[in-house]
Amino acid sequence: MTQIDPGQTIAEILTDHSERLGVFRRHGIEIPAHGRMTLDALCAHRGLDRNQMVRELEAAEEEAPRAGAFEWDLASGVVRWSADLCRVYGIEPGEFGGTVEAFLEYIPPEDRERTRHLIERSLEKRKSFTYEHPIVRRDGATRILYSRVDIISGDGEPVRMVGTCWDVTDQQSIDGSLQGSVSLLRSTLEATIDGILVVDRTGVVTAMNARFLTLWRIPNQIVGEHSDDALLAAVLDQLEEPERFLAKVRELYANPERESFDVLRFKDGRVFERYSRPQRVDQAIVGRVWSFRDVSERERLLTQQTFLADSSRLLGSLEIESALQALARRAVPYLGDACAIDLFEEGEVRRVVSYARDPSRPLELVRPSRVDVPAIYDVGPTPHLAVPLMAKDRPVGTLIVAFQPSPRRLYTRADRDVGEELGRRIALAIENARLLREARAAIAARDEFLSIAAHEIRGPLSSIRLAVESLQNLQLAPEIRDRMLALLNREGRRLARFAEDLVALGSLRAGELSLEPQEVHLTDAVREVCERVSDEIQRSGSTVSITSDGPVIGYWDRFRIDQVVMNLLSNALKFGLGKPIEIHVEAHEGWATLVVVDRGLGVAEDQRDRIFHPFERGVSVRHYGGLGLGLYIVRTIVSQMGGTVHVEPHPGGGSRFIVRLPQASTA
Amino acid sequence: MTADHSPLILVADDDADLREMLAMVLEMHDLRVVLARDGIEALARARSTPGLALVLLDLMMPGMNGADVLEEIRRDPRLASLPVIVISGDVRGSEIASSLGADGYLGKPLGVNDLMREVDRFITVRKPGPAHAPAPAS
């Protein structure tokens, strides 16, 4: 290899060793236009001593030359190519024609004009230039050359054109694959659902993907402005807490190595997760990558589930009215600015709950036209949502919510769905409360029944005990003894009837009443019952008279008719205060009527239906003993026969019990 | 059978058979008995019968119950000092009796001994007369 004389200027080196240009270039050295840098200056520039420099240059020469140099003497028109340049063009040194035209032969025809034009212009302007162009070698291969050309002048006129050409075809394919990598990264960036923003260490935006712009709803106009300030302003404007956003950004700029994660809440209800990490090249931090993910839907579902869970918890209380109050408070503001609950009770609508978020801005909650389906509707400017409270297939009430007219918020299908689910849960809670009330009432009634039953038994037992003890321990006069024995008999029958009543109660409740209809003469049946209890009638002090306009015949179950008559008569005897009792029987247009009149205490108006219910008494239990089953038994039997029974006051004091039965069978 | 100066007892109970039984037992012990079937009659008898020594009062009666009758008796200066024994089938009968200011309490089902022991607290009870001598112990 040719020795490099340290004292030579670069230009001289280049003239001799123009291939070195490629070496210099590969080492990142820019060659100044005049090329007057000495080797020493070069060494100083590179920070190497001469020996190192020389060794480097020698080592570089080992590499296959991918560059060559040329020189064009303008006066003579001769073009000289270095041996390397010939090899770049795929010819042997010496095979080159030595003219500009010979050079242009290697340029593809479509580029020749451009090349010629470039040469002429640079000569005119005496300016150095770089030029990238394809060549076609003699073997047909197309290569891309990158040339740096200098114009050497003398006495104000261009004298020579010198240049170096590099074969950069592979570099282009490296660039190409690099471009391919970049393209792959770019499409990945565009394909992700996260919005990505990259900033440098001063906060200037260096990259972003389209999703970022969509997520943040950045208008095209701001995108076009390329103004980071406008971009930031557009972002901050949408957030609930812009200061908190900025504080985080500042904190991270102060601490570039930190990763961050937080949640952004928007004024319009959207929710984003924000994540960032430093951007590194090798180990150095050059910026920050921000990534944004829209989790609004997930947040919405979470809020909805939390709301429904809270609602179920509140509805778990058995105090239903206070539970509904608490529920209405919870529903605001999630479902509306005001909430009301209406319940249907016995054909009427009652608003049991009404709650408003802001009492100073009252909202009238208007009922929907249909109460069996959920509905979204406007009442003037006020958006409403109403959902039915459905117990099985029957609406038992309505839940109504509404928003203030402004800021305008519309009810969505999602709102309607969660409302409908809430409506179901409320109805269930109401139903449960009702069942609990009924169960408690049934238990209370049972307990009262049991205590009354026990009490009812104690009366006859007292008589029995007194009689038995007397018979056992005392020597009784015969008539006394007979009276006691008769009494024991009566008490026995009394207890037996009581037991029958209990059995009847059981079968009536179970609905197992079976009827065996036969022809019955009602007047005769009444008379027989009176005879059966003649003792009781006598002891009561009452007289019983039976009247009728003629025979009354019906097709009925004889045993049940007896029960009806017996119970009505017992009732009259018990409450008749010893006054006369009248029984009247008649028939008219296929209906038989039985009337039992007593002149006792009478029944108060508000009790006239209650006394036919089991365990209910016409007067308080404190005043009366007994179970109050008799009238319940009467009504159940009579209803099952297709008839009716009711009580009216008897003028002058007492009661008229009126039974109407169809004479024909109703089976 | 009973002497005219035998003590007179008012028995008020709406259960006719029990009324009859109580009357029989008391009469066997040489006591005289006046009966009432409800509260109103009881009060009327108490006011109109001279020489009443004791009242046996059932709590549960139609019209006016035993509690109201007792209250009336206590309120009436002529009757206030009349001893009243309350009869009740209620489990809390004795509590109710004392809260009403009754002088004694009998719970149903009541037996002969219970009855006579209570009565004896207010009236000297003679042993049952010869016609009703106790049977020889067996």
Side-chain angles (χ1 to χ4, degrees), chain A residues 377-560:
Chain A
Y377 54 103
D378 284 336
V379 178
T382 307
H384 279 58
L385 167 67
V387 294
L389 310 180
M390 292 299 265
K392 290 177 192 144
D393 302 314
R394 207 172 42 89
V396 297
T398 317
L399 172 85
I400 307 169
V401 286
F403 280 108
Q404 293 285 351
S406 75
R408 181 97 177 135
R409 176 170 156 186
L410 297 174
Y411 281 109
T412 63
R413 240 199 350 222
D415 293 326
R416 192 192 68 192
D417 289 344
V418 73
E420 201 175 0
E421 174 59 23
L422 181 63
R424 255 180 252 123
R425 295 188 188 197
I426 293 173
L428 190 65
I430 291 172
E431 192 64 10
N432 284 345
R434 185 184 66 79
L435 289 172
L436 181 68
R437 268 201 311 278
E438 284 182 4
R440 280 183 177 155
I443 289 170
R446 184 202 66 193
D447 289 347
E448 186 177 340
F449 170 79
L450 290 174
S451 94
I452 292 171
H455 186 274
E456 187 77 347
I457 292 172
R458 288 196 185 99
L461 281 182
S462 298
S463 299
I464 290 171
R465 186 178 172 192
L466 288 169
V468 166
E469 283 180 5
S470 303
L471 287 165
Q472 280 179 324
N473 299 324
L474 303 172
Q475 197 158 3
L476 304 172
E479 62 273 15
I480 304 287
R481 199 192 66 224
D482 288 345
R483 278 170 68 191
M484 286 196 184
L485 288 172
L487 181 137
L488 282 172
N489 215 344
R490 278 202 304 278
E491 296 316 281
R493 284 208 303 277
R494 205 170 145 189
L495 287 172
R497 256 217 322 274
F498 174 64
E500 266 176 34
D501 275 356
L502 284 179
V503 169
L505 177 70
S507 67
L508 282 174
R509 300 219 112 189
E512 286 159 16
L513 209 56
S514 60
L515 299 175
E516 289 168 16
Q518 58 183 129
E519 196 181 83
V520 173
H521 289 244
L522 190 52
T523 320
D524 292 345
V526 171
R527 209 167 276 133
E528 276 168 34
V529 169
C530 292
E531 272 165 26
R532 269 216 305 279
V533 296
S534 56
D535 282 352
E536 212 175 299
I537 294 173
Q538 200 175 46
R539 271 202 319 287
S540 77
S542 296
T543 55
V544 178
S545 56
I546 305 170
T547 58
S548 82
D549 296 337
V552 175
I553 301 171
Y555 199 66
W556 302 307
D557 183 309
R558 178 59 193 260
F559 179 64
R560 297 301 174 192

Side-chain angles (χ1 to χ4, degrees), chain A residues 34-54:
Chain A
H34 297 296
R36 291 211 177 278
M37 188 186 264
T38 63
L39 183 57
D40 282 347
L42 180 62
C43 292
H45 177 80
R46 286 293 311 282
L48 301 170
D49 66 30
R50 282 187 199 166
N51 292 327
Q52 286 173 313
M53 191 70 237
V54 167

Side-chain angles (χ1 to χ4, degrees), chain A residues 145-173:
Chain A
L145 294 197
Y146 173 80
S147 308
R148 283 187 65 91
V149 182
D150 289 320
I151 313 291
I152 313 284
S153 303
D155 296 331
E157 288 298 315
V159 173
R160 273 194 307 202
M161 180 183 276
V162 299
T164 312
C165 309
W166 286 268
D167 182 335
V168 294
T169 319
D170 292 339
Q171 208 153 353
Q172 277 224 340
S173 70

